[in-house]
Amino acid sequence: MFDFFMQEVLGMHWLSELVWLVLMDMGASQASPVWGSVHFFIYDTIKISILLVSLIFFISYIQSYFPPERTKRILTGFTGVKGAAIAALLGTVTPFCSCSSIPIFIGFTRAGLPLGMTFAFLISSPMVDVASMLMLMSFFGSEFAVIYVVVGLLLAIGGGLLLNVMKMEKYIRRYDNPIREFYSESEYFNQRQRIGYACNDTRIIVKNVFPYVLAGVAIGAFLHNWVPQDWILAVLGEQNVFSVPLAALIGIPIYADIFGAIPIAEALYLASVPAGTILALMMAITTLSLPSLIMLSKVLERRLLFTFIGIVAAGIILIGYLFNILM
């Protein structure tokens, strides 16, 4: 039953076969890179769209129970390692990209929450959530998905605690501009309101995310069918000792959330790029994208911003090398 769930429900192998049947009726050949790209694009777009809508609806419903004010109240009862862990876990039921989680992070700093907790939340929120775990399971299997979630949470907790130990609160800028308080009105919703809220939130998020999904699928289709595997492995393969930091560096300019990163990671996975290198790429895309760093520069002094970048980048690279060795 588990294999069936993984292959046919989450993996949607039936959809892949169906797309090939339709394309072959049009004269397609599975040996053709052109038709291979068409198949990759159609199959991944439909598959991600189905998962995207269903999972975002589910997570948005859960998110309605955790508006920022309630999250702040929960976090104020914890400190130290436990506080960072709770903050990281709460990040898994909040917005799906760093540019959405940063306003909540600003609200936490205004509320005077400890630095370690606010940064643990900031790291985990765009990187790890239930939706991304299920999405990763559908593409790479349960082992890879669980590894991604566990190491993402550990990076968030460890990074937050390290920043807390460094006592850098004085480098947070006062931010007086208005910010959108995501989910602020949802704490006292009844069930009908929560379902309506989840439907509306799903529509908004899918509308914002879908262009990046299409871009990610297009990049994945190109990598999978047109870039020789030897070229990819020469840059990101296990023989290149610098493959992990290169993957992290490549991921920084790519502005996407986890849903846009997955098809790119899938193409690299099919090209036999090591798991740790793929993890480094995905984590860099979701956590250290240039637009999110530009937004953070509005509230963090340069010293704290570069310290945050250095800690997260070092953690991503360490995780990448570790899992390349273990796996």
Side-chain angles (χ1 to χ4, degrees), residues 103-277:
I104 300 179
F105 166 79
I106 294 172
F108 288 171
T109 61
R110 285 180 176 176
L113 294 179
L115 201 65
M117 295 170 65
T118 58
F119 276 98
F121 171 87
L122 181 66
I123 296 170
S124 72
S125 180
M127 184 186 294
V128 182
D129 56 64
V130 176
S132 67
M133 178 174 161
L134 292 174
M135 187 81 80
L136 287 167
M137 288 175 66
S138 74
F139 281 88
F140 307 113
S142 57
E143 183 181 12
F144 186 95
V146 170
I147 287 172
Y148 179 86
V149 170
V150 170
V151 298
L153 287 173
L154 290 176
L155 176 59
I157 295 168
L161 289 174
L162 184 55
L163 284 163
N164 197 55
V165 168
M166 297 173 73
K167 303 293 184 183
M168 303 188 74
E169 289 85 353
K170 61 184 178 181
Y171 298 109
I172 294 180
R173 293 176 176 170
R174 183 175 179 84
Y175 189 88
D176 293 321
N177 295 329
I179 60 172
R180 177 187 169 190
E181 285 281 11
F182 289 86
Y183 317 114
S184 59
E185 73 278 20
S186 63
E187 183 172 0
Y188 303 105
F189 279 179
N190 58 38
Q191 290 303 310
R192 182 176 180 180
Q193 289 174 309
R194 293 190 190 282
I195 292 173
Y197 179 82
C199 289
N200 185 59
D201 214 38
T202 300
R203 179 184 60 80
I204 294 172
I205 293 174
V206 171
K207 181 180 178 180
N208 292 334
V209 164
F210 198 66
Y212 302 108
V213 171
L214 292 179
V217 173
I219 293 171
F222 176 76
L223 290 173
H224 179 53
N225 293 281
W226 294 99
V227 179
Q229 183 175 354
D230 291 344
W231 292 11
I232 295 175
L233 294 180
V235 177
L236 299 177
E238 60 185 7
Q239 300 303 319
N240 184 359
V241 69
F242 300 109
S243 62
V244 174
L246 276 173
L249 192 62
I250 291 169
I252 291 175
I254 301 175
Y255 176 55
D257 54 20
I258 186 68
F259 303 112
I262 283 176
I264 302 173
E266 180 191 16
L268 298 177
Y269 179 80
L270 295 173
S272 301
V273 172
T277 306

Side-chain angles (χ1 to χ4, degrees), residues 16 19 28 158 244 304:
S16 178
V19 172
V244 174
L304 179 53

